[in-house]
Amino acid sequence: MRAIAYDQHGEAGQVLRLSEQPDPAAPTAGQVRVRVVSRPIHPGDLAGVEGLLGGPRQRFATPRIPGLEGMGVVETVGAGVRDLRPGQRVAFFPVPAAWSELVTAPTDLVVPVPEGLSDETAALMLVNPLTLLTLLRAVEDAQHGRAGPVVQTAAGSSVGRLVSAAALKHGIPLINLVRGATGAQTLRQRFSGLPTISTADADWRTQVEDVTGARGAQVVLDAVGGSLTGELAALLADGGTLITYGQLGSGSTPLESLALTPRALTVRGVSIGQWRARTPEERSEDIAFAARLATTAPELFEVAAGYDLADFAEAIDHARRPGRSGTVLLTSPAS
């Protein structure tokens, strides 16, 4: 099978290679084999290829294949599988090696695609909605029952737009931050009920303070990190919480510069990887939510472009393009 693989950490465009890899093992009891048709490029996928910021560049004896989410068609099923059948369209997460043409996965990580849902939307059906739920729960915990202003960075991203839609639905006083005037104007048109501010404006911090008032923000949802962290912490009210869930920015901020102790601030890391710790019943409810959201609001699952696996370098460049709207997909034939 074709797969995009790497044998050492490093810049994704340099260490990734398209190659022929052995097919995954045939499905055993409780498993299915899926021919993958479409899979998204998430920031976390690229972060996994590149390794921890400032960490050692590891080499691997066996090539690794990125990706945890995708959609495809069931090819074969293992013993005892009753709810899935060959030829059925499915989405999956978290299943390693999604950037290959075939994966073998346990059935509890594979979800039937709702009738009428496009392949492109189905490929995005799980990770982003589950990330949304994880972030909303973290915000609720941080608020301690007292709702207050919430600021989010990267508001024009796929997850950011889901957060905005949820804020309007649930009455969350959200302030959106984007890094350019064009992105800010687009987001204002799409979510007119929410203030949107461009961090390219010299007075963007003052604009945020004007919206939050003297009390400041209760929570900051940050997917950027890096050198922006200190400025975001300064927007928090005393006792506020900075929830970090990504590293899209560059640079760094010393922890001691955040005045955590005198201001009683909390910094909390949130990851989609924590979702697996939920009970099977809770995960089932979350997946049902994701499927409903994809079915009722497919416009929130915007696709920027699709590229064949062979064109992965162009796809990665597109995924990193400033001002990009939507998620970039890697595709392969269904047969």
Side-chain angles (χ1 to χ4, degrees):
M1 67 174 183
R2 293 189 308 164
I4 300 169
Y6 63 107
D7 56 16
Q8 66 179 40
H9 283 142
E11 164 59 37
Q14 298 175 6
V15 300
L16 290 173
R17 298 287 185 272
L18 181 69
S19 61
E20 286 292 326
Q21 297 289 333
D23 288 356
T28 58
Q31 294 183 326
V32 295
R33 175 183 281 182
V34 178
R35 180 162 293 278
V36 188
V37 173
S38 186
R39 67 289 273 163
I41 298 178
H42 290 303
D45 298 326
L46 300 179
V49 172
E50 295 173 352
L52 292 175
L53 185 66
R57 298 300 192 187
Q58 289 183 285
R59 289 182 174 272
F60 313 107
T62 303
R64 296 187 173 188
I65 301 171
L68 295 171
E69 179 183 30
M71 70 77 54
V73 178
V74 175
E75 282 205 338
T76 55
V77 302
V81 175
R82 298 286 181 266
D83 297 332
L84 298 170
R85 64 186 186 281
Q88 186 174 13
R89 291 194 310 150
V90 293
F92 57 82
F93 171 78
V95 177
W99 290 17
S100 59
E101 291 185 311
L102 292 167
V103 295
T104 296
T107 56
D108 65 331
L109 304 181
V110 178
V111 183
V113 172
E115 194 71 29
L117 203 65
S118 71
D119 288 353
E120 291 78 9
T121 302
L124 302 172
M125 188 177 79
L126 297 176
V127 166
N128 288 344
L130 297 179
T131 299
L132 168 67
L133 292 175
T134 302
L135 294 176
L136 291 179
R137 289 169 184 139
V139 169
E140 185 177 8
D141 289 345
Q143 289 178 326
H144 306 296
R146 301 184 303 274
V150 177
V151 174
Q152 77 156 337
T153 64
S157 69
S158 297
V159 171
R161 291 196 300 273
L162 291 179
V163 172
S164 292
L168 288 174
K169 181 177 181 179
H170 299 292
I172 299 171
L174 183 70
I175 301 137
N176 284 325
L177 297 183
V178 295
R179 58 183 174 181
T182 301
Q185 182 61 29
T186 299
L187 212 60
R188 290 186 191 110
Q189 292 173 350
R190 190 161 192 174
F191 301 103
S192 58
L194 299 174
T196 300
I197 297 166
S198 167
T199 56
D201 295 344
D203 65 340
W204 71 268
R205 289 167 293 275
T206 302
Q207 293 182 51
V208 174
E209 290 166 0
D210 288 343
V211 178
T212 60
R215 56 180 175 168
Q218 189 172 9
V219 180
V220 170
L221 282 174
D222 180 34
V224 176
S227 57
L228 188 64
T229 302
E231 295 178 281
L232 295 173
L235 297 175
L236 285 166
D238 289 354
T241 300
L242 175 67
I243 298 172
T244 175
Y245 70 99
Q247 189 66 42
L248 297 176
S250 59
S252 61
T253 299
L255 190 63
E256 59 271 17
S257 70
L258 301 183
L260 300 181
T261 302
R263 298 191 56 214
L265 300 181
T266 298
V267 177
R268 176 179 176 181
V270 169
S271 166
I272 184 61
Q274 300 162 356
W275 178 75
R276 286 297 305 278
R278 291 176 63 76
T279 67
E281 293 77 15
E282 290 171 334
R283 293 201 303 270
S284 179
E285 292 175 0
D286 290 349
I287 288 171
F289 165 83
R292 285 196 306 272
L293 185 63
T295 302
T296 58
E299 69 278 2
L300 293 174
F301 297 75
E302 185 177 351
V303 173
Y307 296 82
D308 184 79
L309 287 177
D311 301 319
F312 71 88
E314 295 175 56
I316 291 172
D317 286 344
H318 193 166
R320 287 176 162 163
R321 189 178 300 168
R324 168 184 52 81
S325 180
T327 303
V328 175
L329 301 178
L330 290 166
T331 64
S332 50
S335 60

